[in-house]
C-alpha cells in the first residue's frame, strides 16, 4: 500500500463556471513501437486512432459460464447487497453494480491477473499497472437504466485525482450484446479532446452519480458537436467478447427495455506512474472501492 503523491499541475481543468475544451496533452499508446504484447501492431494503431479496440472472443464459453455464475452468486448474496460497494437501481432497487469485485471474489481476482487482460493493459499503458476500479454491471431486462454520456477521465481526474490520461478500461460481456439491450456506445476519436464540464462537484457526489450522473455531464450542445465530428459506434457481440477503451472516450449506454439482460465485468487499469493525487475538482476523495489508493502492481 502506497500513499498518494502531492498534487501536480492540472492539465485538464473541469467543473468550473463554463465548459472548457482542452486538446489531449498525453499519448494514447504509451509503449514504444514494437514493444511486446498480445495486441497486434495494426490493432494498436487503430486503438490510438479510435480510442477503442473490440475483441470478438477474449474468453471462451466455459469461462463465461464461470464468471456468470460468480456474478449471480454475488448479486444473490444478502451480505453483498448490504455492502456499500453494491449500487441499486433507483426505481426497482435491484442491484445495478457491485464494485471492487477483484477484492470480494477470488474468481474475478484471477481474471484481473489473466495475461490476456492485464497484458493488454500493460502494452497500451507502457508500464506496470494497478486496478483503479473494478465492478460487475447488471442490466436486467424490462427497465434497467443506462449510463449517460460521459468521459470517465473527467470524473477520475476531478474526483479521484488521476493526473494524466494513462488509464484504460475493459468491458467483458457475460451476456449477448444486442443492438437493442442497452449496449455500449462510443464516439470514435473523441478521446483526443477533453471536455471540461461546468458546475461544481457536490460533497459525496458519488452517492448520486453511481445511480444517475449529474455533475460531470456534458451539455447537449457539446454532445451534439462531438457526435457531429466523431459519430457514434454501438458495440454488439457474443458473451466473452470485450471492448478496450481509452479513459477519455465519450461514451454511454441506453436503458434496457428488452427482455434480454446485459451483464459485464468492467476493469480499469491505471499506470503505476500515474498514481492518484488529491482530487482536482472535488472537495473530498471518493471512497477507495471506487477510486483505489492502493497502487500495488498487478502480478
Amino acid at each position: 500500500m502506497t500513499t498518494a503523491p502531492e498534487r501536480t499541475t492540472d492539465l485538464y481543468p473541469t467543473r468550473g463556471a463554463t465548459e472548457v475544451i482542452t486538446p489531449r496533452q498525453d499519448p494514447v499508446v504509451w509503449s514504444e513501437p514494437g514493444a511486446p504484447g498480445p495486441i497486434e501492431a495494426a490493432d494498436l494503431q487503430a486503438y490510438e486512432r479510435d480510442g477503442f479496440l473490440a475483441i470478438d472472443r477474449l474468453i471462451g464459453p466455459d469461462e463465461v459460464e464461470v464468471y456468470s455464475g460468480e456474478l449471480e452468486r454475488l448479486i444473490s448474496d444478502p451480505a453483498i447487497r448490504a455492502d456499500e460497494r453494491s449500487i441499486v437501481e433507483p426505481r426497482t432497487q435491484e442491484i445495478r453494480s457491485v464494485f471492487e469485485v477483484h477484492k470480494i471474489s477470488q474468481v474475478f481476482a484471477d481474471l484481473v491477473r489473466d495475461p490476456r487482460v492485464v497484458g493488454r493493459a500493460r502494452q497500451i499503458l507502457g508500464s506496470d499497472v494497478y486496478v483503479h476500479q473494478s465492478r460487475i454491471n447488471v442490466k436486467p431486462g424490462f427497465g434497467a437504466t443506462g449510463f449517460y454520456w460521459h468521459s470517465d477521465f473527467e470524473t477520475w481526474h476531478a474526483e479521484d485525482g488521476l493526473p494524466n490520461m494513462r488509464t484504460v478500461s475493459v468491458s467483458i460481456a457475460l451476456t449477448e450484446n444486442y443492438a437493442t439491450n442497452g449496449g455500449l456506445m462510443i464516439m470514435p476519436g473523441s478521446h483526443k479532446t477533453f471536455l471540461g464540464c461546468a458546475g461544481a462537484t457536490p460533497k459525496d457526489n458519488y452517492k448520486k452519480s453511481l445511480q444517475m450522473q449529474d455533475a460531470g455531464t456534458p451539455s447537449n450542445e457539446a454532445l451534439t458537436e462531438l457526435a457531429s465530428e466523431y459519430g457514434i459506434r454501438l458495440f454488439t457481440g457474443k458473451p466473452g467478447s470485450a471492448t478496450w477503451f481509452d479513459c477519455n472516450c465519450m461514451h454511454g449506454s441506453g436503458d434496457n427495455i428488452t427482455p434480454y439482460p446485459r451483464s459485464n465485468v468492467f476493469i480499469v487499469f491505471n499506470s503505476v506512474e500515474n498514481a492518484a493525487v488529491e482530487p482536482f475538482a472535488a472537495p473530498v476523495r471518493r471512497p477507495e472501492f471506487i477510486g483505489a489508493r492502493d497502487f500495488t502492481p498487478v502480478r
Side-chain angles (χ1 to χ4, degrees):
M1 179 84 175
T2 54
T3 57
E6 293 297 320
R7 195 167 125 180
T8 58
T9 303
D10 186 356
L11 299 176
Y12 301 103
T14 189
R15 311 280 174 103
T18 59
E19 287 183 318
V20 180
I21 296 289
T22 303
R24 186 185 184 108
Q25 307 294 302
D26 296 304
V28 178
V29 175
W30 290 73
S31 59
E32 295 295 327
I39 306 175
E40 299 290 336
D43 288 337
L44 207 55
Q45 290 172 359
Y47 177 88
E48 197 281 335
R49 180 190 68 232
D50 297 329
F52 60 79
L53 174 63
I55 300 172
D56 288 337
R57 177 173 287 184
L58 182 69
I59 59 175
D62 292 346
E63 295 169 293
V64 169
E65 187 173 339
V66 170
Y67 297 127
S68 297
E70 183 68 353
L71 179 149
E72 291 298 327
R73 183 188 74 79
L74 291 173
I75 65 174
S76 302
D77 185 339
I80 296 295
R81 182 183 178 83
D83 193 292
E84 65 173 347
R85 290 173 285 193
S86 291
I87 310 301
V88 299
E89 289 281 355
R91 185 174 62 83
T92 65
Q93 295 300 297
E94 293 185 357
I95 287 183
R96 173 184 175 92
S97 301
V98 180
F99 281 80
E100 216 170 41
V101 288
H102 71 294
K103 293 191 174 181
I104 295 174
S105 161
Q106 187 59 50
V107 171
F108 289 121
D110 291 342
L111 177 62
V112 164
R113 291 194 294 266
D114 189 308
R116 294 169 295 180
V117 176
V118 71
R120 285 177 167 85
R122 291 184 185 123
Q123 187 177 3
I124 290 168
L125 301 180
S127 69
D128 279 333
V129 297
Y130 70 93
V131 177
H132 177 70
Q133 185 186 103
S134 73
R135 66 178 188 261
I136 48 175
N137 291 325
V138 186
K139 265 195 176 181
F142 301 118
T145 54
F147 293 86
Y148 197 69
W149 289 106
H150 63 287
S151 154
D152 286 330
F153 179 75
E154 193 280 336
T155 298
W156 299 338
H157 181 69
E159 300 186 39
D160 297 339
L162 294 193
N164 296 96
M165 295 179 182
R166 199 171 180 179
T167 314
V168 64
S169 302
V170 59
S171 175
I172 304 172
L174 300 181
T175 52
E176 182 141 5
N177 287 326
Y178 299 102
T180 52
N181 65 341
L184 173 68
M185 296 180 287
I186 292 179
M187 297 184 187
S190 60
H191 62 303
K192 295 191 177 179
T193 299
F194 178 73
L195 179 62
C197 297
T201 309
K203 186 178 180 181
D204 291 339
N205 178 55
Y206 75 94
K207 293 180 179 178
K208 180 180 178 182
S209 68
L210 297 179
Q211 290 183 325
M212 188 67 66
Q213 184 84 359
D214 187 11
T217 343
S219 68
N220 290 346
E221 293 76 14
L223 288 171
T224 300
E225 289 183 15
L226 289 171
S228 298
E229 181 173 356
Y230 298 117
I232 297 173
R233 164 81 183 271
L234 170 67
F235 292 86
T236 58
K238 298 289 186 183
S241 61
T243 305
W244 291 86
F245 58 101
D246 179 83
C247 58
N248 191 45
C249 284
M250 190 62 68
H251 67 288
S253 63
D255 296 350
N256 182 12
I257 60 172
T258 74
Y260 311 115
R262 177 180 171 263
S263 299
N264 67 294
V265 186
F266 186 77
I267 306 166
V268 181
F269 293 101
N270 188 39
S271 169
V272 295
E273 298 171 15
N274 188 43
V277 295
E278 292 305 315
F280 286 88
V284 294
R285 304 173 182 175
R286 297 195 298 175
E288 292 193 26
F289 70 84
I290 303 172
R293 295 282 159 172
D294 181 350
F295 311 132
T296 305
V298 175
R299 298 295 187 204

